[in-house]
Amino acid sequence: MLLRYRLCSAAKHVPEIAKGFHDTREFKELPARVSEIKKHLQNARQSLEDNKKAVDKSGDDCLQQLKSLRDKLNAIIDRLEKQTVTEIEKGRSSVSVMIQADVDRIDDVTERLQKLFIGMTAAGENNEATSYIGYIKYDDLIWKANVLLQEIDNKDDYKMSFQPFTGITEHLSSIELLGEVIREGGENPVPGPNRVFKVDKHVLHKVKVVDDNDSCTITGICRLASGEFIISDNRNSKLKLLDSSYKVISTCNVSHYPHDVCPTGECEAAAAVNNNDEDRHEVHFLRVRSGKLLKTRTIKIQHGCRGIAHHNGDLYMAAGTSLHVYNIANGQSRQLYRDLTGEYTVFRCAISPDGKCVFITNYSNHQLIALNKNGSKLSTITHPELLYPVAVHVTSMGHVFVSCFCLGTVVQVVKSKDGKQTVKPLTGRKEDLNEPTAVYFNGSNNTLVVGHKNNIVEVQLKP
């Protein structure tokens, strides 16, 4: 302490400074101030305790609502099971009646043959007239028996089977919760997947660099774990690395034309490059090292590649009219989905965080389609605001955003009051959007990053 205060011009001892302090107003008012602050602290503590009890009660209410929902689901399942059992029993009874009818016909012919045989035997073998009449009757019965046997032989065996409606189990397995758990209050509340965002403000960022030969057309956006962005500039055949403030810090030239980009690792990404005129379809793998964007390798593929998304080591590639899955580790590829009703029925794609749902934009038919991981269609969304959808992005919380080319808008996919999926417009031309072809949601600051003709627009959202 002496060394610390050696350079002080003057130093006084505490007892000297504190002399007469008991008589000051500050000291005399201290008990009242302590009492007042303790009162405020106690009130704040009581308020927090009351809030905790209220949250506990609301949690119990949520559990009760969940139980009520489960009871309703159980009642629905019980009703469906009862009706299905009734239908099975009706089918079994109907089939049994038809089988028994054939059995009765066989028994009838068999009994008539037996009675005729007994009658002929009783008449004696020496009575030729009786034997002749019996022969005629036998011949007729045998003919009828053969007709019956042929008729029965031509029938397939009756069978019964039960084919469950797969849509029920597929839909249930595709969802994680029975409802949205909404937490409000406190700092940075986490919006649920059905929370509709609103536009707060927007900022324009120019991403044109000196050696660009043409105006920019941003067709793909992704964000790395480091906070940097990679964008695909289709018209200039470039991939550009942006810092967190959207300033271009590095570029990488690629062959014509980059259409989309997605992260594949902490500082790695893959870009979809497609040129139908030259029949060139490639995936370029990239890595960021020391602030530089570097291309590490390229693979050629046998189909178009306009959109790309990554999940758990698999690349999902939108080929225009089909969706393909490519495994990075073993290089195996398979077609997951196909739609030949238009030229661009599989334009772009995005994967849900759990990998169970694949969203594709159907540009030709103005649709957003959801597939399961096996390629079966889960839902198809159409809406007047979903006109010429291009890019689709799914956030880590499950929010779905789609950019619509001609309307110059970005829409959010939400659930309507009847539980079905619909869309709600978020942005429009007032946010300086011009033919938006890329969209990305930055969850760190609730920002929608939209790529379009010439620039990037950062749209700040609020829940």
Side-chain angles (χ1 to χ4, degrees), residues 17 51 60 68 84 96 111 123-124 138 151 155 162 175 181 230 235 241 286 314-315 386 394 404 439 455:
I17 298 174
N51 187 210
D60 291 338
S68 176
T84 306
S96 296
E111 183 180 357
Y138 255 124
E151 180 183 334
K155 292 181 179 180
F162 176 66
I175 60 177
V181 180
I230 299 178
R235 186 165 292 183
L241 180 67
L286 311 158
D314 287 329
L315 288 177
L386 199 65
V394 186
C404 299
V439 61
N455 304 298

Side-chain angles (χ1 to χ4, degrees), residues 229-461:
F229 293 87
I230 299 178
I231 64 173
S232 55
D233 185 344
N234 180 273
R235 186 165 292 183
N236 287 295
S237 296
K238 277 192 179 84
L239 297 167
K240 299 178 178 180
L241 180 67
L242 315 180
D243 62 17
S244 57
S245 61
Y246 307 101
K247 179 183 177 182
V248 180
I249 57 177
S250 179
T251 64
C252 177
N253 294 324
V254 295
S255 54
H256 295 137
Y257 293 98
H259 284 264
D260 199 7
V261 61
C262 71
T264 57
E266 190 169 330
C267 54
E268 297 174 331
V273 177
N274 194 80
N275 188 343
N276 286 334
D277 294 336
E278 298 179 5
D279 196 25
R280 177 186 294 169
H281 317 293
E282 301 170 342
V283 175
H284 293 225
F285 291 91
L286 311 158
R287 185 175 182 85
V288 176
R289 184 179 294 126
S290 301
K292 298 293 184 182
L293 187 59
L294 307 172
K295 187 166 60 174
T296 57
R297 66 186 178 106
T298 300
I299 62 170
K300 296 184 182 296
I301 53 180
Q302 302 303 313
H303 52 74
C305 193
R306 291 183 167 274
I308 193 166
H310 175 263
H311 184 270
N312 198 27
D314 287 329
L315 288 177
Y316 291 76
M317 291 179 277
T321 57
S322 58
L323 181 69
H324 300 260
V325 182
Y326 174 86
N327 185 270
I328 297 176
N330 58 32
Q332 293 182 352
S333 178
R334 61 190 175 94
Q335 181 176 283
L336 194 67
Y337 174 81
R338 193 180 188 192
D339 183 352
L340 299 178
T341 60
E343 186 177 3
Y344 299 119
T345 55
V346 186
F347 202 80
R348 296 280 177 81
C349 59
I351 318 296
S352 64
D354 58 9
K356 293 182 178 180
C357 186
V358 185
F359 292 91
I360 58 173
T361 51
N362 186 329
Y363 183 89
S364 297
N365 298 319
H366 317 295
Q367 298 171 337
L368 178 68
I369 297 172
L371 310 173
N372 66 12
K373 59 183 178 181
N374 296 319
S376 299
K377 191 179 292 187
L378 296 175
S379 64
T380 300
I381 304 173
T382 57
H383 193 274
E385 295 289 343
L386 199 65
L387 192 63
Y388 296 106
V390 179
V392 56
H393 175 72
V394 186
T395 74
S396 59
M397 288 296 295
H399 307 99
V400 181
F401 299 98
V402 183
S403 68
C404 299
F405 187 75
C406 291
L407 292 179
T409 60
V410 174
V411 300
Q412 181 183 353
V413 178
V414 297
K415 284 188 178 179
S416 58
K417 292 182 179 179
D418 58 3
K420 296 181 180 179
Q421 289 180 312
T422 184
V423 302
K424 178 178 177 58
L426 285 180
T427 65
R429 298 195 183 279
K430 64 180 180 179
E431 282 79 34
D432 298 318
L433 299 186
N434 184 10
E435 299 177 353
T437 49
V439 61
Y440 178 85
F441 179 79
N442 185 359
S444 64
N445 57 5
N446 285 351
T447 297
L448 201 63
V449 187
V450 185
H452 64 112
K453 214 170 183 179
N454 299 322
N455 304 298
I456 276 180
V457 175
E458 177 191 9
V459 183
Q460 187 69 46
L461 302 179

Side-chain angles (χ1 to χ4, degrees), residues 116 120 130-142:
L116 184 58
M120 287 183 59
T130 301
S131 296
Y132 177 75
I133 294 172
Y135 169 78
I136 297 299
K137 291 182 177 181
Y138 255 124
D139 190 57
D140 182 60
L141 276 176
I142 290 172

